Amino acid sequence: MLADHNRMAAYHSAIMGNADVFKDKVVMDVGTGSGILAVWAAQAGARKVYAIEYTDMAKHARQVMKANGVEDIVTVIQGAVEEIVLPIEEDGLECDDPEHPERVVDIFISEWMGYFLLRESMLDSLIRARDKFMKPATGLMFPSHTTMYVAPVQDEEERRMNCNEYAASMSDWQDFQETTKQVYGVEMEILKSDFDREQKDYYMWSSRWRELPAASVLSERKMIKVLDMMTCTIEDSKGVDMGDEASKFEFAVDGDREQGPISGIAGWFTADFKSRTDEVGKDSAPKLSDPTILSTGPEMGYTHWGQQVFYFASGIPLMQGQTTNITGSLEMTRTKENARLYNCRIKYASSRNSNNDGKQLMKSAAKEQVYMIP
Amino acid sequence: MLADHNRMAAYHSAIMGNADVFKDKVVMDVGTGSGILAVWAAQAGARKVYAIEYTDMAKHARQVMKANGVEDIVTVIQGAVEEIVLPIEEDGLECDDPEHPERVVDIFISEWMGYFLLRESMLDSLIRARDKFMKPATGLMFPSHTTMYVAPVQDEEERRMNCNEYAASMSDWQDFQETTKQVYGVEMEILKSDFDREQKDYYMWSSRWRELPAASVLSERKMIKVLDMMTCTIEDSKGVDMGDEASKFEFAVDGDREQGPISGIAGWFTADFKSRTDEVGKDSAPKLSDPTILSTGPEMGYTHWGQQVFYFASGIPLMQGQTTNITGSLEMTRTKENARLYNCRIKYASSRNSNNDGKQLMKSAAKEQVYMIP
C-alpha cells in the first residue's frame, strides 16, 4: 500500500466508512503484507481478523499489530491461504452450517489486484479462500466487484520511442554482424531473424506501464470484463475470451474534437466496494451505506498500477470533419510458461466516416497482434 | 560476445594468433552460446571441436556452424558439461591413458568470466569439465590465467548519487509513516529500522557496475587473487579468503599528483592467454608463440564487464603536500542464498603522512563493511 494515496484512500473509506458492517464480524485479509487493512478492520470494530501472509512479511505484520494495540483481535497466520487451518474453536467461532464448519468468515478484505487487474494477481488464492471460509449467504467481499476497461489513447512520444529503440537495436545488430564477418571471419546472418523477433517482442509487442494524462483518452472507455467477487471462478481468472461479447470494442473518435493520432489501446481497471448483487446474497447480505470506488484509469491520477498500453505499429491519424472508428476485440490468456503472466491478442480494424454525410471514406484491413504484459 | 570489441579481439587473437597450437587438436568450448569461439577454433585448424551449451542457444549454434561450413568439425552438444558424454569412438579419438579414456581434449576455450571475475561465472563447471576431459600433461586452457585487481578510485558523482538516493528513500518513508499515522490512524514506525536496513543494503552497501575513465584510478592496482586455470580448484571459485596474504592491500595516494577524494575501491580482472606455468605442464605442454591479454580495467575502455566499485560512506579527502594511505583487505564469499552470487567484506583504515618529513598527520579508526555484488 506504500505511497499510493488513491489506493490507501479507497480501502480506508471502504472499511472505516462502513464500520457498521464490520462491527463484531469475523474478517479475513488475504495477502496482508505489512497488515494495514487488518488494522483498519480491527479499528472498524471487527471481533476477529485473520491476516494471512505467505512471505516473511508476516513477522512484520505481527509487529504492526502490537504497535497498534490490535494483537488480541488480529491473528497473523503465515502460510498459503489454501493450506492454513483457522483456530476456530480457540477463538470461540461457530458456523451455522454443520457440513462446512470452516465457513466462519463474514468479510474478506484483500488488495489482490495486479497490472491490468490480473497480471501476477492473487485472484486464484482469493477465490479458493472465499469458497473454503466464507459464509455463503451473508458474506461480503472488499472489493465486491472489479471491472476491466479499454480505450484508444494518444501517446505518440512513447510509441515512437519504442519503435526507435527497436530500430536502433537492429542497426546495432547489423553493425555487429558486419564486424563479425569482416573483422572476425564468422557469418552470423543466420541468427538475424531470431534476433529480430526477440527485439520486436520486447520493444513493439509488449505493453508498457504508463501514467497517462486524462486528456490522452480519445473516446468513451469500453468495459471488457466484470468480475463479481462473490461469484467469479478460477475460470474467470484465466483472462478474457475472444468469444465473450464483452471482449469486443467499438470506438468512435471525432477528428474535430480530439487530437490524434491514435497510438494504441490502453487497459486499466476499477474496484468497487458496494453491496452484493448476486442472486444468493443480494437480499440476505448486509447493505453498505457508504459504497466507494477505486479507479486506476487516466482520470484518477497516480496509482502504482498505472495503465497498460498496447501500442500500434503505426499511429492512426485523425482528420478534421471525419470520425475515425476502431472496431475489434481483446483476448487475454495466461502464458504457457508462467500462469501468473498474460498475453493479450488484439484484433482491430479502422475506418473513417465524413461527419457531414456519414459516408465511409476509408476502411483498413483487419490487423491482429499478440502482446505480452511484461 | 555481442558488441564487446575488447573481448572479441582478445579471444580472436588468442586463437587465430596461435593457430599452430590449434592445428589438428581436439578442442572443447564450454558455454559456447552462439558458437563464435568454436568457429574460430575450427578455422584455426582444430581436428575436432566440442561446443557445449546448456541452453536452447545450442540450436542457434548448430545453425552458425552450418552457415560457416564447419559443421563437420564442430559438434554442438546441448547439456550440462558435467553430464555430457563425448562421441569419442565415432570421432575416432583416443586417449593415451587407459584409466581415463575420456581425457581426449587438448585445448579448452571458454568465455566463462563474470562481473569481478566470479559473479555468476561458469568456473565450477569449467573446472569439472577440465578434470574430466583434459589431457593432463599437454592440455591448454584459453584463457590460461585470470587475475583479480583492486585500486582506490575517485568517482564522487556516483558515490554521492547513491547516498542521496538512500536519503531520499528514507525521507519518502518518513512522509509515508506520518501520513499513515495522521490520515489513516495506523502506526508503522516499528518497521522503520528494517526498511532502513534494506535501503542501506541496496543504495550504500551494494557495489555498482561502472565504466571508469583511466584517470579515476588513484594509485597502482593491487592483485588480490591469481587463478592458474590449469590447477585452480572448486575451492578457488568460492572467492577470496581474508586469511590470504594476497587479499591485503596497501595504497599510497599522493595529494600533489592526484585529485581526490577517494570514493571507494574498484575491482576488476584480467585474463591471460599464455603458455602453461604449472609444474606438470610447463615443460610438456605446447608453447604459445603469440600470448595475449584481455583486461577489464579502467585503462582499457569499454568491456561489458566494466568495473565493480565499492563506495565508502564518505569520500576520503586528499591534501596538498601529503600522502594518503589506505590499508586493508578484501574478502569475497558466496552468499548463503545463491552460490553464484558473492558478498565482499572490505576492511580498511586511512592515514596521512607529510610528503616533507614523512610524519604521520592523521590516522583513522579501522572500518569494515560487507557489500553485495548485485
Side-chain angles (χ1 to χ4, degrees):
Chain A
M1 304 286 286
L2 249 156
D4 182 339
H5 182 73
N6 277 326
R7 173 164 66 166
M8 291 276 276
Y11 274 89
H12 187 251
S13 74
I15 297 172
M16 302 311 283
N18 294 288
D20 55 328
V21 162
F22 278 82
K23 181 102 180 84
D24 297 328
K25 293 288 167 53
V26 176
V27 176
M28 181 176 283
D29 177 11
V30 177
T32 198
S34 61
I36 196 160
L37 299 186
V39 173
W40 288 339
Q43 288 174 341
R47 169 187 170 196
K48 186 77 226 168
V49 181
Y50 295 113
I52 320 300
E53 175 59 33
Y54 184 73
T55 74
D56 289 341
M57 273 300 284
K59 186 184 68 180
H60 291 148
R62 276 190 204 106
Q63 293 179 297
V64 168
M65 298 313 145
K66 274 191 195 146
N68 287 277
V70 295
E71 72 269 37
D72 292 340
I73 295 170
V74 181
T75 303
V76 177
I77 302 177
Q78 183 168 7
V81 73
E82 292 89 342
E83 290 164 11
I84 56 164
V85 176
L86 298 184
I88 294 174
E89 277 187 40
E90 296 99 282
D91 290 336
L93 305 183
E94 270 175 35
C95 175
D96 313 333
D97 180 354
E99 283 189 29
H100 299 100
E102 283 181 301
R103 293 188 178 167
V104 296
V105 174
D106 297 294
I107 305 177
F108 269 83
I109 52 177
S110 181
E111 197 281 80
W112 57 269
M113 301 87 80
Y115 291 153
F116 202 16
L117 192 61
L118 297 177
R119 183 189 172 278
E120 287 212 359
S121 86
M122 292 186 290
L123 182 54
D124 286 22
S125 297
L126 180 66
I127 290 170
R128 291 200 185 90
R130 178 198 68 193
D131 293 346
K132 188 171 168 192
F133 294 119
M134 178 166 271
K135 295 182 178 172
T138 56
L140 292 174
M141 300 289 282
F142 277 66
S144 60
H145 301 75
T146 51
T147 311
M148 296 168 72
Y149 293 99
V150 290
V153 293
Q154 197 274 322
D155 188 26
E156 280 296 284
E157 201 177 325
E158 178 78 12
R159 191 190 67 75
R160 280 214 202 93
M161 196 184 75
N162 294 331
C163 292
N164 292 349
E165 284 182 350
Y166 160 70
S169 159
M170 290 313 297
S171 162
D172 285 351
W173 167 270
Q174 202 59 36
D175 268 7
F176 162 74
Q177 189 183 309
E178 277 161 26
T179 306
T180 305
K181 181 163 187 182
Q182 284 160 26
V183 182
Y184 298 115
V186 178
E187 180 57 76
M188 286 279 182
E189 193 175 1
I190 191 87
L191 301 185
K192 185 177 178 176
S193 65
D194 282 319
F195 183 80
D196 185 64
R197 197 175 315 125
E198 271 175 33
Q199 303 305 303
K200 269 218 185 75
D201 283 348
Y202 183 76
Y203 288 112
M204 311 269 294
W205 311 134
S206 294
S207 61
R208 293 279 182 269
W209 186 100
R210 295 291 286 156
E211 187 188 341
L212 295 171
S216 66
V217 178
L218 298 175
S219 82
E220 290 293 304
R221 65 189 183 179
K222 168 67 169 64
M223 182 200 87
I224 53 162
K225 187 169 181 116
V226 183
L227 295 177
D228 180 336
M229 301 310 301
M230 281 305 311
T231 58
C232 67
T233 62
I234 298 289
E235 196 59 30
D236 284 314
S237 74
K238 289 184 183 164
V240 180
D241 271 357
M242 200 60 104
D244 285 0
E245 196 52 37
S247 77
K248 297 196 171 65
F249 52 73
E250 188 168 347
F251 301 115
V253 186
D254 185 342
D256 291 334
R257 287 178 48 195
E258 301 288 355
Q259 223 174 348
I262 306 173
S263 310
I265 304 280
W268 66 87
F269 68 92
T270 60
D272 279 88
F273 303 81
K274 60 184 186 185
S275 303
R276 275 176 71 164
T277 55
D278 60 297
E279 278 308 312
V280 175
K282 68 181 177 184
D283 297 322
S284 53
K287 299 289 175 223
L288 267 63
S289 52
D290 197 3
T292 186
I293 185 165
L294 165 63
S295 172
T296 66
E299 80 286 3
M300 280 298 287
Y302 174 81
T303 69
H304 82 286
W305 287 289
Q307 297 87 45
Q308 289 291 319
V309 182
F310 306 89
Y311 293 95
F312 299 147
S314 313
I316 300 172
L318 302 185
M319 301 283 180
Q320 288 287 322
Q322 298 178 20
T323 294
T324 299
N325 307 291
I326 309 265
T327 56
S329 59
L330 182 144
E331 182 188 46
M332 188 170 177
T333 49
R334 291 185 161 163
T335 66
K336 282 194 198 88
E337 298 76 26
N338 183 341
R340 303 191 70 180
L341 295 181
Y342 291 82
N343 289 330
C344 281
R345 178 186 303 273
I346 295 183
K347 291 187 189 173
Y348 71 99
S350 62
S351 61
R352 279 206 306 272
N353 293 73
S354 163
N355 287 355
N356 288 335
D357 56 9
K359 201 190 281 180
Q360 192 172 81
L361 303 167
M362 182 280 290
K363 190 173 187 312
S364 81
K367 287 174 190 158
E368 183 173 337
Q369 187 57 52
V370 175
Y371 296 81
M372 190 175 58
I373 304 181
Chain B
M1 304 286 285
L2 248 156
D4 181 339
H5 183 72
N6 276 326
R7 172 164 66 166
M8 291 275 275
Y11 275 89
H12 187 251
S13 75
I15 298 171
M16 302 312 282
N18 294 288
D20 54 327
V21 161
F22 278 82
K23 181 103 178 83
D24 296 327
K25 293 289 167 53
V26 177
V27 176
M28 181 177 283
D29 177 11
V30 177
T32 197
S34 61
I36 196 160
L37 298 186
V39 174
W40 288 339
Q43 289 173 342
R47 167 185 171 200
K48 185 77 226 168
V49 181
Y50 297 112
I52 319 299
E53 175 59 33
Y54 185 73
T55 75
D56 289 341
M57 275 299 284
K59 186 185 68 180
H60 291 149
R62 276 190 203 105
Q63 293 179 297
V64 168
M65 298 315 145
K66 273 191 197 148
N68 287 279
V70 293
E71 71 269 36
D72 291 341
I73 295 170
V74 182
T75 301
V76 177
I77 302 177
Q78 183 168 7
V81 73
E82 292 90 343
E83 290 164 12
I84 56 164
V85 176
L86 298 185
I88 294 175
E89 278 189 39
E90 297 98 286
D91 291 336
L93 305 181
E94 269 176 37
C95 175
D96 314 333
D97 180 354
E99 284 191 27
H100 298 101
E102 283 180 302
R103 293 188 177 167
V104 295
V105 174
D106 297 293
I107 305 177
F108 270 82
I109 52 177
S110 182
E111 196 281 81
W112 58 269
M113 302 87 81
Y115 291 153
F116 202 17
L117 191 61
L118 297 177
R119 182 188 173 279
E120 287 212 0
S121 85
M122 291 187 290
L123 182 52
D124 286 23
S125 297
L126 180 66
I127 291 170
R128 292 201 183 90
R130 178 198 69 193
D131 293 347
K132 189 171 166 191
F133 295 118
M134 178 167 270
K135 295 183 179 170
T138 56
L140 292 174
M141 300 289 281
F142 277 65
S144 60
H145 302 74
T146 52
T147 311
M148 296 167 71
Y149 293 99
V150 290
V153 293
Q154 197 272 324
D155 189 24
E156 279 296 283
E157 200 176 328
E158 178 78 11
R159 191 190 67 75
R160 280 214 200 94
M161 197 184 74
N162 294 332
C163 291
N164 292 349
E165 283 181 351
Y166 160 69
S169 159
M170 290 314 295
S171 162
D172 284 350
W173 167 271
Q174 202 59 37
D175 267 6
F176 162 73
Q177 188 182 310
E178 277 161 27
T179 307
T180 305
K181 181 163 188 183
Q182 283 160 27
V183 181
Y184 298 116
V186 178
E187 180 57 78
M188 286 277 183
E189 193 174 3
I190 191 85
L191 301 185
K192 184 176 176 174
S193 64
D194 281 321
F195 183 81
D196 184 66
R197 196 174 316 123
E198 271 175 34
Q199 302 305 303
K200 268 215 188 78
D201 283 348
Y202 182 76
Y203 288 113
M204 310 268 295
W205 311 134
S206 295
S207 60
R208 294 277 183 269
W209 186 99
R210 296 291 286 157
E211 188 189 341
L212 295 170
S216 66
V217 179
L218 298 175
S219 82
E220 291 294 305
R221 66 188 184 180
K222 168 69 171 62
M223 182 202 87
I224 54 163
K225 186 168 183 115
V226 184
L227 294 178
D228 180 335
M229 300 311 301
M230 280 307 309
T231 59
C232 66
T233 61
I234 298 289
E235 195 60 28
D236 284 314
S237 73
K238 290 184 182 164
V240 180
D241 272 357
M242 199 61 105
D244 284 1
E245 196 53 37
S247 76
K248 297 195 171 67
F249 52 75
E250 187 167 348
F251 301 116
V253 187
D254 185 341
D256 292 334
R257 287 178 47 197
E258 299 289 353
Q259 223 175 347
I262 306 172
S263 310
I265 303 280
W268 68 88
F269 68 91
T270 60
D272 281 88
F273 303 82
K274 60 185 187 185
S275 301
R276 275 177 71 164
T277 55
D278 61 296
E279 279 308 313
V280 175
K282 67 180 179 185
D283 297 323
S284 52
K287 300 287 175 226
L288 268 61
S289 54
D290 197 2
T292 185
I293 185 164
L294 165 64
S295 172
T296 66
E299 81 285 4
M300 280 298 287
Y302 174 83
T303 68
H304 83 286
W305 288 287
Q307 297 88 44
Q308 289 290 320
V309 182
F310 307 89
Y311 293 96
F312 299 147
S314 312
I316 299 171
L318 301 185
M319 301 284 180
Q320 287 288 322
Q322 298 178 19
T323 294
T324 300
N325 307 291
I326 310 264
T327 56
S329 60
L330 182 144
E331 181 187 47
M332 188 170 177
T333 49
R334 290 184 163 164
T335 66
K336 282 192 198 88
E337 298 75 26
N338 183 340
R340 303 191 71 179
L341 295 181
Y342 291 81
N343 290 330
C344 281
R345 178 186 303 272
I346 295 183
K347 292 187 190 174
Y348 70 99
S350 62
S351 61
R352 279 205 308 273
N353 293 73
S354 162
N355 287 354
N356 288 336
D357 55 11
K359 199 191 283 182
Q360 191 173 81
L361 303 168
M362 182 281 289
K363 191 174 190 308
S364 81
K367 286 173 190 158
E368 182 171 338
Q369 187 57 53
V370 175
Y371 296 81
M372 189 174 59
I373 303 180

